[in-house]
Amino acid sequence: MNWLVLCACLFAGVAANLVEHNATPPKIADATFLQKQVDLLSLYFHINEPLQEPKLKAIAQSWSLTNNIDKYSNVTAIKVYSNLIDYGMLLPRSVPFLILDPTHQFEAVTLFNVLQSAKDYQTLYNTAVHLRDIVNEGLFVYVMAAATVHHPETQGIIVPPLYEVFPSYYHNAEVMNIAHRVNTHGKRLVDHYPQTFAWEDNMVIRWNTTVWPYLGNSDISTFYYSQDYALNTLYYNNHLTYPFWLSGHNGPLMKYKRGEYFWFFNKQLTNRYYFERLSNGLSEIPEIGSDFVDEGFASGLVYQNGIPFPIRPDELRIDQPKYSELLEKIKTYERRIRDAIELGHVVSVSGEKINLRTPEAINVLGNIIEGNVDSPNLDFYGSLINTWKSLLGNSIIQGHVFHKQHVPLVIPAAIENYQTCMRDPAFYMIWKRALNFFTLWSSYLPSHSEEILSVPTVVIKKVESDKLVTYFEHKYLNVTNALYLNERESKVVEDEISVLVQQPQLTNKIFTIRVHVKSDVAKKVVVRFFLAPKYDSNGYEIPLHLNTENVFQLDQFVYQLPEGEHVIKRESTGNMYTIDQWYSSYEVYLKALNALQGKGQFVIDMTQFFVGYPRRLMLPKGRVGGMPFNLFVHISDYVAPETPYGEGVNPEQTFGIGTGARRMTGYPLGFPFDRPLHQYQVETLTNFHVHDVLIHHKPTPEIVVPQ
């Protein structure tokens, strides 16, 4: 098989005084871990085709759920799923899978419970092999990834990035058509087509979606952000880590303040999209109303079976009879949430009144708006975000087609899939509307007091930063997994041709921020950097209390501040919650297989966070002449988190995904911008500083094609 190593090693510059949470020495994988890694990656190989290896075929044919029922802790799940198989009630293969559809969701959650209840790894693996060719491909990959993240026997196992498993979610129909053509022709006609060229042993397709002439979306100039492969995969991975259908109270991982994280995570992404709109001279994020949606969307994507993603036309009227049921639900949910916020309490399913006038209530509000199973009253408050997605998608229109008179066959729009929803501008319109509920809630809380905001013994004398520069560079994504094996390849279970897609992706030069500080005493502190636009789309300067809604947390770290004058130096590579790029599954497989055979070592890399934010997207594009932003720097006393860092988890492998052990401090997420912050509150603070910066975009020179 032709392989291309697409990832570089990660280097982090850490100041001597930095309290480095992620400082556990790298761990060398043992034979047991390596075998698990090789086993599970093999299941994703050409997922749209049947199993090829004789060993796997033998396991698939010999294993039985009911005959091995004693090897599972959830007997009910085994019986229910076995009945679904026996009665032919599974979602068929080769059709789109939608987790928002109740029937699809029931099958997916039941299968997750089957895998999760496996008492040992071998049972888990045998079950996965047995069901791989029976279960719908999309549903299998979704559940298998979720189970790998949450099952105690698979902690630390690298899940292949979805853009390598299902490339059709990330590349439009023309790209995939070219890929299939290359797969058929090989190198024979590579020079005949202008989009393709040979690079070493790989066939490469040049592509730039922002200049594709067949899309007329109004925000096409921001597609480099909204269609970024890593960002969309991050959103999908985050959902698998905190699925709305998995409870944090009795699930495999205790979800620590999942509602608060839900708010913070989506606010970060929405604000970054707003930055890109401003960078490209676009207006504010449009409001979404209850009568029509002005912004249409055409993704250009097709499902693996050739069915195109539905298109939403411009100025879509949603006050039509076919939308009335969902629209009425949305109006009802929003009214109930707004009433709860204004009354100061929500009503649980048992009738208990839960106070919303506390800072901790953001967790309750987040659970309600997401509509996850930890919502205190899911039936009453509903699932606002998912209902909006269903309304603006296509599943309700196509929901009249069934398999075996039971399983809906739907054609989800981009906004309905977690791996594609960020492509649609309506996603940010929905979230702009939803964030207004959090703003309304925070308006009932008292403003942060000077005592909480200030650290009298610390004075920020000045802040300096390197020149902030963004540019586009080529990234190469492997789409071979979506291309069908020919007869020769299927016999050796290897790809003769490796097809890559070359895409320009936004990135930024490494930069350093220097904070000149004077401290009267030596102490442990928390340093935070925030970025916010200085001007809105109309050119008006945004006052601080309104800009609270726009801030993007750039970095946060714990620092041991010495007495006297000192310079805190922080490099952009130091953010522990960001990653350069997930390792290619092809590279991981080869390294694990070689290590298993005694050819080298496989290091369990703690920096490969499943929910790591792309480091190259820390800065917005900016403008050629420089775009003004505010860099807010705040230093606060260190407050220990409620759950000590790393407690109850193995940080060498899991880094505490889904647990409170990931929280660096006890402060609320986004502090001090978790509530409106006015100018009068910060004017006298010596530990708060506003630094004006310009973000410059460097135009990409003419591309030199490798010979």
Side-chain angles (χ1 to χ4, degrees), residues 103-170:
T103 306
H104 295 198
Q105 184 184 133
F106 176 80
E107 180 186 339
V109 174
T110 305
L111 177 56
F112 175 84
N113 289 333
V114 168
L115 295 175
Q116 193 65 29
S117 71
K119 295 180 179 179
D120 53 63
Y121 168 74
Q122 198 59 49
T123 302
L124 170 68
Y125 176 64
N126 289 347
T127 306
V129 175
H130 171 65
L131 295 174
R132 182 194 183 274
D133 289 352
I134 300 174
V135 178
N136 174 275
E137 306 93 315
L139 191 151
F140 177 84
V141 168
Y142 174 87
V143 175
M144 194 65 221
T148 302
V149 170
H150 292 282
H151 199 285
E153 289 293 327
T154 53
Q155 294 303 292
I157 297 297
I158 295 176
V159 177
L162 193 67
Y163 51 79
E164 291 184 345
V165 180
F166 287 128
S168 58
Y169 284 125
Y170 298 87

Side-chain angles (χ1 to χ4, degrees), residues 532-546:
K534 189 168 185 177
Y535 303 100
D536 64 16
S537 60
N538 296 312
Y540 297 113
E541 188 169 354
I542 309 175
L544 181 61
H545 66 285
L546 296 181

Side-chain angles (χ1 to χ4, degrees), residues 614-660:
R615 187 171 289 128
R616 57 182 175 77
L617 291 179
M618 290 177 68
L619 297 180
K621 176 184 172 185
R623 295 174 183 166
V624 174
M627 182 176 177
F629 277 82
N630 287 325
L631 175 65
F632 300 115
V633 179
H634 184 243
I635 298 177
S636 59
D637 285 322
Y638 174 75
V639 175
E642 184 176 321
T643 302
Y645 183 85
E647 182 179 280
V649 299
N650 179 1
E652 295 176 346
Q653 296 182 2
T654 69
F655 191 53
I657 285 179
T659 72

Side-chain angles (χ1 to χ4, degrees), residues 184-238:
T184 301
H185 294 160
K187 297 181 179 181
R188 182 166 54 89
L189 296 176
V190 65
D191 296 328
H192 180 71
Y193 300 105
Q195 304 100 329
T196 59
F197 65 92
W199 181 19
E200 297 178 350
D201 293 330
N202 306 281
M203 306 299 295
V204 183
I205 303 171
R206 300 184 188 88
W207 199 253
N208 186 349
T209 302
T210 57
V211 296
W212 197 39
Y214 303 108
L215 295 179
N217 301 301
S218 62
D219 68 337
I220 192 170
S221 58
T222 65
F223 274 12
Y224 60 86
Y225 173 82
S226 61
Q227 298 195 10
D228 187 274
Y229 70 93
L231 200 64
N232 281 270
T233 303
L234 164 62
Y235 202 78
Y236 176 79
N237 289 355
N238 186 75

